[in-house]
Amino acid sequence: MAVEPPQQTLQSFHDALMRHPLIRELWNHFPENMFLVRVEDDGHFTVEAANPAQLDTVGRECLGQPLPAFMPAASAEAIYTRYRECVARDKPMRYQEHAVFFDEHGNEQYGYWLTLIVPLHNAAEDPQRVTHIFGISQDVTELHQAREALERHNQALEARVEQRTAELQHANRELRLLNAQLEEMATRDFLTGCYNRRHIETLGQREIERARRYDTSLSVLMVDLDAFKQVNDTQGHDAGDAALKCVAASLQNALRANDLLGRFGGDEFLILLPESNNEDARVAAKRLQQLTHEQTDITISVGIATLRRDDTLESLAARADQRLLAAKREYHRKASG
């Protein structure tokens, strides 16, 4: 079957438009790009017609030409892939595409389009074969650029949010660390590192309440260093501070995990022994005295008191303190004898 040369086909298409004024008006004034592409026997495609909107975009040199004549090969091949799929499926296709083409000066131009292509059959040639593809493309380059700008703006905002979130998380970590340090300062004795008096009293009241709630025993030990005043008087306060730190460390190492140690004042320490009766406390006191002397070469005196029904922390500590005084008198009696 003879194939109509491109120029003859173009004239035929132009004549058909001239015979239908409404179609001619639509073709000439439709604001979006419209084009008619011939499907060649060798699998290539030739532009047979383009409306004025399309010609304003790619120029009149596209007429009668295959796509690679007025656009880079990569863009032409991407469009050809769509055309081949349309021909193979023999169904309309709608898609968004990005294409690069040459302007009248040979410079590359690019754009984005929403494209609809429709397969057509020329019954006079072969009613079973797709002979043409008719297409309409809407230029959405500005919309695409606006969307890209919006995405870049959103990405910048997300980056700022991530940065501010990281800064906030860092500030929160710093605040938690500072709070922990403040809590440590508020509850710990600055010299020995054990609990200070205010906090050991708070813990002591809590342990009394727990012992009564669960009907368990509770004992306290009041401890002080023997001959501490002599150390301060003869060796100085630095030596006294060193002795306090050594004894506090020794006591802490010798206690159970649930026992609580606090500096009560001067060289006195208060130790809470949960779930310990009087006998348990005596055993603990002897162990502390022995280990402290072995580790620090310092002797300590200990007063013991076990919780009674009507005790408060004040009365319990006072009773332990009285027994500490008795132990100190015994220490001095032996030392002077």
Side-chain angles (χ1 to χ4, degrees), residues 16-241:
L17 286 177
M18 293 303 102
R19 288 195 299 270
H20 298 280
L22 291 178
I23 297 178
R24 184 175 67 250
E25 279 292 298
L26 177 65
W27 180 262
N28 288 331
H29 299 291
F30 194 75
E32 311 300 347
N33 297 352
M34 298 200 310
F35 51 89
L36 185 70
V37 174
R38 181 175 184 83
V39 181
E40 304 291 2
D41 292 335
D42 60 2
H44 289 82
F45 302 87
T46 302
V47 179
E48 286 198 351
N51 73 336
Q54 174 80 350
L55 294 176
D56 287 343
T57 301
V58 297
R60 292 187 177 277
E61 62 272 14
C62 72
L63 297 177
Q65 299 293 329
L67 268 60
F70 55 91
M71 63 175 55
S75 291
E77 183 57 34
I79 295 175
Y80 277 2
T81 299
R82 300 281 192 178
Y83 290 176
R84 293 187 189 109
E85 184 179 356
C86 180
V87 170
R89 294 170 57 183
D90 197 7
K91 291 182 178 180
M93 291 177 54
R94 192 186 305 272
Y95 53 88
Q96 180 172 325
E97 61 182 335
H98 172 230
V100 179
F101 56 90
F102 301 123
D103 62 15
E104 59 182 349
H105 304 293
N107 299 318
E108 287 190 355
Q109 302 292 331
Y110 74 93
Y112 295 85
W113 285 269
L114 288 176
T115 300
L116 169 67
I117 53 177
V118 181
L120 301 178
H121 306 80
N122 190 335
E125 295 183 14
D126 184 353
Q128 302 300 319
R129 187 176 75 87
V130 176
T131 59
H132 292 78
I133 293 176
F134 174 72
I136 298 178
S137 288
Q138 180 184 10
D139 188 348
V140 292
T141 304
E142 291 185 0
L143 179 62
H144 188 86
Q145 291 172 340
R147 184 171 60 192
E148 286 184 334
L150 180 60
E151 289 177 354
R152 288 194 298 271
H153 180 66
N154 288 338
Q155 290 172 357
L157 287 178
E158 289 175 359
R160 288 179 60 189
V161 169
E162 289 179 1
Q163 180 182 0
R164 294 298 298 273
T165 300
E167 291 173 354
L168 182 60
Q169 290 174 342
H170 177 72
N172 286 336
R173 287 193 295 270
E174 292 291 321
L175 181 59
R176 286 194 296 269
L177 179 60
L178 180 59
N179 286 337
Q181 292 173 343
L182 291 175
E183 179 69 17
E184 185 77 5
M185 292 172 62
T187 61
R188 294 286 177 176
D189 175 62
F190 74 94
L191 178 63
T192 62
C194 59
Y195 294 124
N196 59 28
R197 177 164 181 165
R198 183 182 63 83
H199 195 60
I200 196 66
E201 287 179 341
T202 299
L203 296 176
Q205 187 58 44
R206 188 180 304 167
E207 289 299 325
I208 288 175
E209 294 171 0
R210 192 170 72 90
R212 286 180 175 148
R213 183 183 306 117
Y214 297 106
D215 194 24
T216 58
S217 56
L218 172 68
S219 295
V220 300
L221 304 180
M222 192 69 78
V223 178
D224 82 349
L225 282 64
D226 295 330
F228 181 69
K229 184 177 183 303
Q230 182 180 352
V231 172
N232 275 336
D233 292 343
T234 60
Q235 301 180 43
H237 289 286
D238 288 345
D241 289 347

Side-chain angles (χ1 to χ4, degrees), residues 221 223-224 226 246-247 250-251 253-254 271 281-302:
L221 304 180
V223 178
D224 82 349
D226 295 330
C246 288
V247 169
S250 177
L251 292 174
N253 291 335
I271 300 174
R282 290 182 182 279
V283 171
K286 289 181 179 179
R287 184 178 75 253
L288 293 177
Q289 287 176 309
Q290 179 180 352
L291 292 176
T292 300
H293 187 254
E294 290 175 356
Q295 294 176 7
T296 67
D297 201 29
I298 298 172
T299 61
I300 58 173
S301 295
V302 182

Side-chain angles (χ1 to χ4, degrees), residues 208 212 218 305-312 316 319 323:
I208 288 175
R212 286 180 175 148
L218 172 68
T306 299
L307 183 66
R308 297 173 180 172
R309 185 178 298 274
D310 58 348
D311 263 332
T312 63
L316 185 61
R319 198 160 63 252
R323 290 169 182 168

